[in-house]
Amino acid sequence: MRRRIVVVGATGRTGRLVAQELAGRPHVLLVARRADALATLGRTTDLPARCADLDGLGGVLVPGDIVLSCVGPHDVVGDRVVDAAVHVGATYLDVTGEPAFLARLHTDHGPRAASSGVSLLPAVGYEYLPGLLLSELALDAAGPAARRVEVAYLVDGGLDAGSATARRSLVRALTRPTTTFRRGVHHAETVAARRGEFRAGGQLHTTVSLGGLEVWSLPTRHPDLDRVDVHTGWFGAAAPLLQLGALLSGPARMLGVDRLMDGAVAILGDGDDEGLSTGTSRFVVRVRDERGGVLAREEAVAGNAIVLAARLAAATADALAERPLGDVPTGATDPVAALGLQAVGRLAEWAGLVRL
C-alpha cells in the first residue's frame, strides 16, 4: 500500500511548489500554521490540509508516514520535525542546504533514528541530490583508483525569487561550522576555508568550500575515498570577501551579528514568483586518483534552483511512498542507498536535471 506523504511547511515558497508537484496524488497531506494560506493551497492542489504547528506534529503523523520538511531555517526549527518523525516512526526527508544541520542530523539524530528503526534522508533538493548522483556516476566510471571527489554547485541567475526563509538559511549556512572529509576522517572547519575553480557552461567559476550531503554519504559506500570536497560558486568574484567573513563568523556569533543579519534578510520578504522561470543551475563533479589526476568528470544542468529543489524533493518522496518501510535503510541515509542509483537518476531526469 502506498505510504502517506506529509508536507510540513507547505505554505512556504518551496512547500507550495512541492504541493503543486504532488497535486491530485493519493495519500498526501499538507501541514502548515497559516490557516487561510493552507486552505487556499489545499483547494488549488486538490490535496487535504491540516493546520498545525511544529509542536503539534505528533498528533498529525502516524507510523510509516513520509515527512517532507520544508520548514526553515533548519538550524532553528528543523530538529523539531526530526524529533517528531523519530518519535512516531515516520520516514524523514528535507530540502536543507545548511551543513551544520546536516552534521547534527548525522551525528546526533542518526544513531537515535537507527535504534528506533527510522530512516532520515536529508537534503533531497537542489542541495545536495544532484551532486550525490553525479558523484556516484563518476565514481563508477573512475574505478578502484578513485581517491578524491570534488563537487561544485553553480548557478546563473534566478536567486532573486528566493524566500525570506531561504535567505535566513543562507545566513545560517555561512556563519556556522561546516564539515569536510579529508584523510579519511570527518573534520569541522569554517565555510570558505578553501577556494577552487570549476569550468562549466563555457566559463571558469571561482568556488569556495561549503560542505554537503556528499561528505557524509559517499565514504559509507566508497571506503577507499580519502577526500570529499563540496564547493559553491554562488559568490563568484566575491569569494575572498566570503572567506574573510567566514573567519569572523565566530566572533560575529558571540556579538549577535548573525542574529541581526537574520532579522535583516527576513525583513526583505519573499522574491517575486516571476523569478522562478529564470536562472540556470549547473553541477560539476571531478574524481581524482591519489596523485591528483582526473579519472572521471560529470556535468549536469537544470533550470531554476528553487523549482529544481521542489521537483527533486517531491519526486523522492513520491518514489519512497511506493517502497515498503522495511526496504529503506535506517538511520541517516540518502536517496541512492534507499532507492538505488538508477531510480535516483530517473527521478532527477524527470525533475529536469540534464547530464552533459
Side-chain angles (χ1 to χ4, degrees):
M1 180 179 294
R2 180 182 171 89
R3 293 197 279 157
R4 185 175 69 164
I5 300 172
V6 180
V7 183
V8 180
T11 55
R13 169 59 53 85
T14 303
R16 293 198 307 271
L17 293 172
V18 168
Q20 291 166 11
E21 295 296 338
L22 296 173
R25 302 272 180 125
H27 307 298
V28 178
L29 176 67
L30 308 180
V31 177
R33 292 179 302 169
R34 296 185 293 156
D36 292 345
L38 185 62
T40 300
L41 183 64
R43 287 194 299 271
T44 58
T45 58
D46 192 27
L47 293 173
R50 181 165 174 179
C51 192
D53 59 20
L54 297 184
D55 293 329
L57 286 179
V60 174
L61 303 178
V62 298
D65 276 347
I66 296 170
V67 182
L68 175 49
S69 176
C70 299
V71 303
H74 285 85
D75 188 58
V76 179
V77 298
D79 297 270
R80 294 157 70 184
V81 185
V82 179
D83 287 339
V86 173
H87 179 74
V88 171
T91 300
Y92 170 89
L93 288 78
D94 68 38
V95 291
T96 188
E98 302 168 43
F101 177 73
L102 270 177
R104 195 157 68 243
L105 190 142
H106 280 82
T107 59
D108 298 342
H109 294 297
R112 184 165 55 91
S115 65
S116 300
V118 172
S119 306
L120 308 178
L121 291 87
V124 297
Y126 166 88
E127 299 119 339
Y128 292 93
L129 192 151
L132 180 66
L133 170 63
L134 296 179
S135 295
E136 292 287 1
L137 293 171
L139 284 166
D140 279 354
R147 294 294 180 271
R148 292 168 51 186
V149 177
E150 302 166 341
V151 186
Y153 288 81
L154 313 168
V155 66
D156 299 327
L159 296 180
D160 53 341
S163 66
T165 297
R167 295 188 183 99
R168 293 180 64 203
S169 291
L170 183 61
V171 169
R172 296 276 166 172
L174 298 179
T175 58
R176 267 56 180 175
T178 186
T179 304
T180 188
F181 185 78
R182 302 172 73 83
R183 301 182 183 89
V185 179
H186 287 101
H187 296 277
E189 66 177 20
T190 60
V191 170
R194 284 160 285 107
R195 268 190 279 177
E197 289 185 336
F198 291 79
R199 185 169 294 280
Q203 297 181 359
L204 191 63
H205 299 259
T206 299
T207 64
V208 291
S209 55
L210 179 67
L213 180 64
E214 300 92 333
V215 168
W216 297 98
S217 292
L218 293 177
T220 64
R221 285 187 292 274
H222 305 276
D224 290 334
L225 285 179
D226 178 69
R227 176 171 165 179
V228 179
D229 285 322
V230 182
H231 284 229
T232 178
W234 284 23
F235 305 96
L241 294 177
L242 182 61
Q243 288 184 297
L244 176 61
L247 292 175
L248 299 175
S249 61
R253 289 198 303 274
M254 294 178 61
L255 296 173
V257 175
D258 61 324
R259 291 192 294 274
L260 294 176
M261 293 171 60
D262 185 279
V265 298
I267 292 174
L268 295 175
D270 294 347
D272 294 332
D273 285 353
E274 289 76 10
L276 295 173
S277 61
T278 65
T280 302
S281 307
R282 301 184 186 279
F283 311 90
V284 179
V285 169
R286 296 188 299 236
V287 174
R288 299 182 184 271
D289 60 22
E290 60 183 4
R291 296 185 178 183
V294 176
L295 299 175
R297 184 183 185 277
E298 285 280 344
E299 181 178 347
V301 65
N304 183 275
I306 303 165
V307 175
L308 177 64
R311 290 178 65 84
L312 287 171
T316 304
D318 195 52
L320 283 169
E322 302 291 344
R323 186 165 291 256
L325 185 62
D327 290 351
V328 182
T330 60
T333 184
D334 62 72
V336 172
L339 299 170
L341 185 58
Q342 290 186 345
V344 174
R346 287 193 297 269
L347 70 85
E349 183 180 2
W350 173 88
L353 188 73
V354 179
R355 290 173 64 193
L356 303 180

